Amino acid sequence: MRILVVNVNTTKSITDSIGEQAASVASPGTEIVPLTPSFGAESVEGNYESYLAAVAVMEAVRAYPEPFDAVIQAGYGEHGREGLQELLDVPVVDITEAAASTAQFVGRSYSVVTSLDRTVPLIEDRLHAAGLSARCASVRASGLPVLDLERDPQAAVDAIVEQAVSAVRDDRAEAICLGCGGMAGLAERVVDRTGVPVIDGVTAAVTIAESLVRLGLKTSKVRTYAPPRPKEMKNWPPV
């Protein structure tokens, strides 16, 4: 089984971290292929960057030359999962939805701890669109930009833990979702400080994708995710 794990930003070190985290839970025989988009922002923290990332992720997958069995979209918020599902019949798993759906198996309510406050509405909208918002106690921002997760890991952990503790204490969350692909690998440290289940979206997405492939399930092509209709695309893809 081969699973493509696509970073939504162009920072290769984050792609590497996401790939390592994905590989750490992959079953024997599962090949994890991390992909970095060829264009886009170094971090995705707003609507413009998010829409650009959606196109970049789709193009990165379209350009991959070998067969694959599933795709993981490794970014929190709106990054064009539905577009990928139109293009592909293999399972496409978004880490926002993977983390939230997994959290509901281990607690009555969950909170998401993300990076900047401006990303909170994007995540809330994604959860609502996916039908996963009813049991979301809160979406909290750590206040740290995505790239600071690498620049100052200890400060990042402290800020994430502070918000996770507040979510459990004040919002009655019973599980925590790490709300950024760049937070891959931080779950154990947050568990130690909060005492509740902590879900990393990348690892959750890998196990879900593997399960879908083993069950022989593919993306439905009857209606919503039918392939794009053939038509002339002006100046696309760009040269």
Side-chain angles (χ1 to χ4, degrees), residues 17 25 29 50 63 68-69 71 77 85 103-104 110 116 118 147 149 156 165 176 209 211 228 234:
S17 176
V25 297
S50 180
F68 52 89
D69 301 290
V71 175
Q85 288 182 293
Q104 295 181 124
Y110 69 92
L116 297 179
R118 66 176 296 162
L147 297 180
L149 296 170
V165 169
I176 297 295
S211 296
K234 186 174 181 179

Side-chain angles (χ1 to χ4, degrees), residues 84-86 88-92 217-222 225-226:
L84 275 176
Q85 288 182 293
E86 287 188 5
L88 308 171
D89 62 359
V90 301
V92 178
L217 297 174
K218 296 183 180 294
T219 298
S220 173
K221 295 298 174 181
V222 170
Y225 305 126

Side-chain angles (χ1 to χ4, degrees), residues 10-55:
T10 56
T11 301
K12 188 177 182 303
S13 57
I14 293 179
T15 304
D16 293 341
S17 176
I18 289 169
E20 291 170 7
Q21 187 69 2
S24 72
V25 297
S27 301
T30 295
E31 178 188 2
I32 298 295
V33 180
L35 296 181
T36 305
S38 61
F39 60 91
E42 61 180 349
S43 63
V44 178
E45 296 167 323
N47 286 287
Y48 173 74
E49 294 161 356
S50 180
Y51 289 126
L52 183 60
V55 178

